[in-house]
Amino acid sequence: MSRAVLSLGSNLGDRLAHLRLAVAGFADELVAASSVYETAAWGVTDQPDFLNAIIVVESDRCDEWDWLRRGQELERRAERVRERHWGPRTLDVDVVTVDDVRSDHPDLLLPHPGTPARATVLIPWLQADPDADLPGRGPVRDLLRALPESEKAGVTRRDDLPLR
């Protein structure tokens, strides 16, 4: 059995529809889903705000590479174009963790290296899984607590935008 945490993001086109496309693409394996959150762009900040969510998925047929390939296929279906690193996108599906798997392969870094510093991942993840733990780093609750308040303040829950 493989359990993965996937981070979803969109800041182009029908942002909510793109997130829903990803959720539908993993519907058979879906264990939990966060609410939708709106956040300012991270990294490259001169772009539209993002909608973000976390899903937890589980399957006995998928390993970490399968989760990555499936996420990339959904990005293609959303017509994602990769023009610049951290640039605007219709859909971004990041593999955050897969069980306790560690990978330093350039195409699949696990756990996802930016996770401990990103409230845009930690806040929805904690909502979807209150007992979440980032392998090698500890409880997500503690990682979130360690972030500056300014980082957390930029993550707004959007209950008016149901993910499913």
Side-chain angles (χ1 to χ4, degrees), residues 8-70:
L8 312 177
S10 175
N11 74 335
L12 289 179
D14 187 338
R15 301 175 302 162
L16 184 59
H18 294 306
L19 295 185
R20 287 176 174 165
L21 170 75
V23 172
F26 290 106
D28 291 342
E29 297 85 16
L30 191 64
V31 172
S34 72
S35 296
V36 173
Y37 291 80
E38 190 159 21
T39 63
W42 191 93
V44 176
T45 58
D46 63 337
Q47 59 183 311
D49 288 350
F50 276 84
L51 291 183
N52 297 99
I54 287 286
I55 59 174
V56 180
V57 291
E58 199 170 79
S59 173
D60 56 4
R61 299 179 317 267
C62 294
D63 67 8
E64 61 272 19
W65 291 101
D66 294 314
W67 295 122
L68 176 66
R69 280 189 289 274
R70 290 183 60 191

Side-chain angles (χ1 to χ4, degrees), residues 122-150:
L122 298 175
I123 290 173
W125 186 6
L126 192 58
Q127 186 212 358
D129 183 0
D131 297 321
D133 192 79
L134 181 61
R137 299 303 295 262
V140 169
R141 180 177 315 283
D142 293 346
L143 296 171
L144 183 59
R145 195 175 296 126
L147 291 181
E149 286 304 316
S150 59

